[in-house]
Amino acid sequence: MNNILSQSATPEEQKAQIAKILVVDDEIELQRLIKQRFRKNIRAKEFDFVFVQNGIEALNKLKQEGHIDVVLTDINMPEMDGLTLLGELSDIDDNIKAVVLSAYGDLTNIRTAMNRGAFDFLTKPIDFQDLETTIRKTLQFVQKMRKKQEQIEKMYAQLEYDAVHDALTGLPNRILLDNLLQHNISYAERYPDYLYAVLFIDLDRFKVVNDSLGHSVGDSLLAAVAERLKVSVRGSDTVARFGGDEFVILLEELNNIHEVISITKRIQQKFNQAFLLNEYEIHLGASIGIALSTRQYQKADELLRDADAAMYCAKAKGQNQYVIFDPTIQASAMERLQLENKLRQAIEREDFSLYYQPIIEVTTGYLSGFEALIRWFTPDGSISPSKFIPVAEETGLITPLGWWVFQEACRQLQDWRNKFPQQQSLLLNINFSTIQLKQSDLLENIQAILDATQLPGSSLKLEITESCLLENSEAQIQVLQELKDLGINICIDDFGTGYSSLSRLHEFPIDTLKIDRSFVTRMESNLGGLEMVKMIIALAHSLNMNVVAEGVETETQLQQLKALGCEFAQGYFLAKPLDKVAAEEFLQRSGVGE
Ligand code: C2E
Ligand code: CA
Ligand code: CA
């Protein structure tokens, strides 16, 4: 049987899919004939016929029944004829197809019927075999058309959905969030007791992971974070992706403000557990800024602005912290923005200078080299690099700033090498942020500066942070290798504070490990600093690397380091960072270790 109904349909679906045919004819005899001829099909629940006697009745029936697949209509009828009905039909539903049955098969009628959207035209007396074939053909067409229509509707629905959801995580995006926030704001205006809150979440350390493990791991991580956030809130709350590694949670219908804190803590607890991705164990924190409806917001933007400002404060407190917005916070957010603007101007005007902190060979006390440290003096006092370097890194300003440092440091070293020809082995350490290492023109630029200053690469040492080592991509090792090929030395700064996988340390072409000041500080007490320093030195030596300890502030620390075989030391006990004049005097007084 060539039933056009799908074979796999359930009984209910089949019922819904019985082809419903509306017969419009004032000739009662036709009803009887159709019922008789199609008895089989009716019994097999293939066709279902509904009979009316003119166009008006047909239109009423269509409105009542809703679902009609095919209309068979006569032309000559009282009240409303078939040709008028055809015109009306297309207004109701384009998906209903009509077949005209008429004794008046003249060309004018046929043309008019076709022009008004008739699917076919059969002349009376009716050939029932032909009628059945025509009904089937029409149904097939209608089904096809409906399927197409459904596909289009589905596509539209998908487009609509996509427009307000984030593709990576499937979470609502900014647009939908904005809508929901606005909705809550209006509701709170009408019902002053209504409480809601917005949590602005920024992932701690995500940048490091993304830069070092690559974007695909970064993407998977964001998806995993989205999942974790979703399970930490109630069903009625909304988790949205704001962009990058920023998420926003809208907590609706809160009973009291304490609830916000307990939910926030629950979210942060979820981050205590590491994320496992591609055999990496990734520890992330979530800095959370909170804006509460009690501040009577009027715009979604204001809510987000305050939650964002509170988030920055949370970040400043350390990892996995939260802060509830209050007006003093707005001031600090403004300060940050001002700092960014000031930094931009300062870079243009080259308002910076370099200080040089001596690095001493522990056994001989000779000067081994200097670490160049950037200084920013403004009319309102100096601004610490710990404050502005992170802002520069976040805004990309580190690129021009970094090149200024590099150029200035090289120029200074060239100057000293000319003035003190006996000090050709003097090293200059330059801090390099991870972002700088990613620049595509890195090597060309360095080569150009080396050429211009006629410095051998071997007189430079780049200090990079441990997070660079997280990089699993060959490209990263390649960059370091190419720097080494220029003769440049590589030092891992703040060693021990990151989370580099020690087992992979040997894969990187590293010359020096710089022990973080926090361990050196703890050496004299019983806080495990000594053990840690001992271990780092042993590790470095086993990999043919040498060690420099930073932040040496006492004689005892220096002696301890000496006893442990640490090669170099740097710190206030030996010398503070010096301006170039003072550094030059220091250089003049010192012998240089070979
Ligand atoms: P860092 O590379 O770990 O630099 C060492 C910091 O410790 C310097 O702070 C230095 O002045 C300070 N320091 C040195 N000896 C002692 C000591 O005995 N005790 C104490 N308490 N501190 C000591 P500074 O100059 O404020 O720099 C802070 C950070 O800013 C640097 O940490 C580095 O990460 C970044 N930085 C500085 N200059 C540059 C630069 O030119 N480029 C980049 N990318 N980062 C820089
Ligand atoms: Ca450093
Ligand atoms: Ca350091």
Side-chain angles (χ1 to χ4, degrees):
M1 190 162 95
N2 65 342
N3 193 333
I4 61 158
L5 302 178
S6 116
Q7 304 294 316
S8 58
T10 64
E12 283 111 62
E13 276 171 344
Q14 228 151 32
K15 202 167 171 191
Q17 285 180 15
I18 298 173
K20 211 165 210 179
I21 300 157
L22 179 65
V23 184
V24 191
D25 205 319
D26 51 346
E27 199 184 313
I28 303 297
E29 175 63 4
L30 185 71
Q31 271 194 35
R32 199 186 58 75
L33 285 174
I34 285 182
K35 277 184 184 155
Q36 188 182 30
R37 272 301 304 224
F38 290 101
R39 215 183 310 141
K40 229 175 41 216
N41 312 70
I42 293 170
R43 223 180 295 130
K45 297 209 185 309
E46 192 188 354
F47 296 156
D48 181 11
F49 289 93
V50 180
F51 298 92
V52 294
Q53 295 189 11
N54 61 52
I56 298 282
E57 281 179 26
L59 291 177
N60 285 339
K61 199 79 188 169
L62 275 168
K63 274 174 207 150
Q64 284 164 19
E65 298 271 323
H67 185 87
I68 295 286
D69 298 291
V70 177
V71 173
L72 305 178
T73 183
D74 188 17
I75 290 184
N76 270 356
M77 293 176 293
E79 290 185 66
M80 185 189 280
D81 65 32
L83 293 178
T84 312
L85 173 64
L86 283 175
E88 298 284 322
L89 272 183
S90 57
D91 284 350
I92 297 180
D93 186 351
D94 273 343
N95 289 336
I96 300 174
K97 284 291 155 203
V99 175
V100 177
L101 314 172
S102 173
Y104 304 92
D106 65 89
L107 210 55
T108 324
N109 268 342
I110 295 178
R111 280 199 52 83
T112 312
M114 289 311 194
N115 282 341
R116 293 187 184 179
F119 186 75
D120 210 341
F121 200 110
L122 301 181
T123 48
K124 288 178 179 172
I126 288 167
D127 169 349
F128 281 93
Q129 189 53 51
D130 190 16
L131 179 61
E132 183 173 344
T133 312
T134 306
I135 290 176
R136 288 194 191 287
K137 205 174 62 189
T138 314
L139 277 170
Q140 217 157 21
F141 182 81
V142 166
Q143 293 278 355
K144 233 191 242 164
M145 218 165 50
R146 286 203 181 129
K147 218 173 245 159
K148 218 177 253 167
Q149 182 83 17
E150 254 167 46
Q151 276 167 356
I152 291 172
E153 272 161 21
K154 235 192 204 155
M155 224 165 65
Y156 272 117
Q158 186 69 47
L159 284 177
E160 258 168 32
Y161 184 89
D162 289 351
V164 294
H165 286 85
D166 166 54
L168 176 66
T169 60
L171 294 177
N173 66 12
R174 235 160 145 146
I175 300 169
L176 185 51
L177 174 70
D178 227 60
N179 244 313
L180 293 169
L181 292 179
Q182 208 56 59
H183 186 77
N184 274 268
I185 289 170
S186 316
Y187 198 82
E189 271 169 8
R190 262 180 294 147
Y191 304 94
D193 288 342
Y194 176 71
L195 283 180
Y196 65 90
V198 168
L199 310 188
F200 200 106
I201 302 175
D202 188 282
L203 303 179
D204 303 324
R205 306 164 52 82
F206 179 77
K207 225 188 193 114
V208 174
V209 175
N210 205 41
D211 282 350
S212 43
L213 295 185
H215 291 266
S216 78
V217 176
D219 282 355
S220 315
L221 186 57
L222 287 173
V225 166
E227 273 318 304
R228 224 175 256 193
L229 289 177
K230 268 201 295 201
V231 297
S232 12
V233 297
R234 308 162 305 170
S236 57
D237 301 323
T238 305
V239 181
R241 179 155 179 230
F242 198 66
D245 61 340
E246 293 171 335
F247 295 85
V248 171
I249 296 182
L250 168 62
L251 304 175
E252 298 184 72
E253 287 182 61
L254 294 164
N255 295 317
N256 55 59
I257 291 310
H258 305 295
E259 247 181 332
V260 181
I261 308 300
S262 64
I263 296 173
T264 303
K265 284 186 174 155
R266 195 162 69 216
I267 293 169
Q268 286 179 327
Q269 257 164 22
K270 292 265 182 210
F271 280 81
N272 287 340
Q273 211 183 345
F275 290 85
L276 296 175
L277 286 174
N278 298 7
E279 91 230 33
Y280 291 104
E281 209 177 278
I282 301 168
H283 294 269
L284 277 184
S287 293
I288 304 183
I290 304 169
L292 300 173
S293 59
T294 42
R295 299 197 63 79
Q296 294 169 346
Y297 289 96
Q298 278 165 2
K299 282 191 177 141
D301 280 357
E302 297 165 357
L303 247 175
L304 290 169
R305 181 201 61 202
D306 286 358
D308 188 25
M311 184 280 290
Y312 267 110
C313 285
K315 255 210 165 129
K317 280 171 70 178
Q319 286 192 24
N320 233 21
Q321 301 288 321
Y322 71 85
V323 165
I324 298 177
F325 179 83
D326 74 73
T328 57
I329 282 172
Q330 204 164 355
S332 76
M334 284 297 289
E335 237 169 66
R336 222 192 93 85
L337 199 67
Q338 276 167 359
L339 180 63
E340 184 185 330
N341 289 335
K342 249 166 100 175
L343 191 58
R344 250 175 239 284
Q345 283 172 8
I347 289 171
E348 262 169 40
R349 298 200 301 242
E350 303 195 349
D351 275 351
F352 302 95
S353 45
L354 287 185
Y355 269 45
Y356 302 89
Q357 186 174 32
I359 297 171
I360 306 295
E361 196 179 349
V362 173
T363 47
T364 60
Y366 285 153
L367 175 70
S368 154
F370 292 102
E371 176 180 4
L373 292 161
I374 193 165
R375 292 292 175 263
W376 183 13
F377 299 108
T378 74
D380 315 325
S382 75
I383 301 174
S384 158
S386 314
K387 206 165 168 192
F388 71 82
I389 292 287
V391 176
E393 285 180 332
E394 246 172 70
T395 52
L397 291 171
I398 191 68
T399 305
L401 191 60
W403 285 122
W404 178 85
V405 170
F406 196 88
Q407 199 144 17
E408 176 62 19
C410 287
R411 212 197 41 70
Q412 185 59 66
L413 183 60
Q414 178 197 27
D415 186 38
W416 284 336
R417 282 167 65 99
N418 288 341
K419 279 190 185 147
F420 308 100
Q422 75 283 11
Q423 303 226 342
Q424 296 301 309
S425 63
L426 186 71
L427 276 171
L428 192 57
N429 288 24
I430 301 175
N431 290 288
F432 229 63
S433 103
T434 313
I435 297 162
Q436 288 174 273
L437 276 186
K438 300 269 166 185
Q439 299 168 110
S440 55
D441 51 4
L442 177 79
L443 290 151
E444 285 165 51
N445 280 350
I446 290 183
Q447 184 68 64
I449 294 171
L450 289 180
D451 289 347
T453 51
Q454 292 185 310
L455 286 176
S458 58
S459 63
L460 299 180
K461 195 178 261 191
L462 292 192
E463 295 197 4
I464 59 180
T465 52
E466 219 180 332
S467 59
C468 285
L469 302 191
L470 240 186
E471 179 68 60
N472 70 334
S473 83
E474 289 303 312
Q476 191 67 8
I477 298 179
Q478 179 78 21
V479 170
L480 292 181
Q481 192 55 57
E482 280 168 356
L483 287 169
K484 283 238 52 120
D485 292 345
L486 292 179
I488 294 173
N489 303 284
I490 310 285
C491 167
I492 301 302
D493 205 353
D494 308 334
F495 190 80
T497 58
Y499 61 124
S500 59
S501 123
L502 295 182
S503 60
R504 301 199 54 206
L505 205 54
H506 71 276
E507 292 172 32
F508 298 88
I510 299 161
D511 303 279
T512 306
L513 296 186
K514 188 181 250 195
I515 303 178
D516 190 66
R517 180 160 58 98
S518 58
F519 301 118
V520 176
T521 309
R522 277 183 280 157
M523 266 194 330
E524 283 176 83
S525 59
N526 277 333
L527 295 168
L530 193 66
E531 276 313 300
M532 191 68 188
V533 172
K534 211 182 207 170
M535 255 167 48
I536 295 174
I537 293 172
L539 173 73
H541 289 170
S542 75
L543 295 169
N544 288 323
M545 300 169 187
N546 55 43
V547 184
V548 48
E550 72 178 345
V552 178
E553 293 181 346
T554 68
E555 169 80 45
T556 316
Q557 287 165 353
L558 189 64
Q559 291 314 322
Q560 283 172 315
L561 289 165
K562 195 173 185 173
L564 292 175
C566 175
E567 285 90 350
F568 304 99
Q570 177 184 1
Y572 293 170
F573 176 70
L574 299 155
K576 288 204 164 177
L578 309 167
D579 66 23
K580 64 181 173 193
V581 177
E584 195 167 309
E585 283 167 14
F586 194 96
L587 187 54
Q588 210 158 15
R589 277 186 268 122
S590 310
V592 176
E594 287 303 312

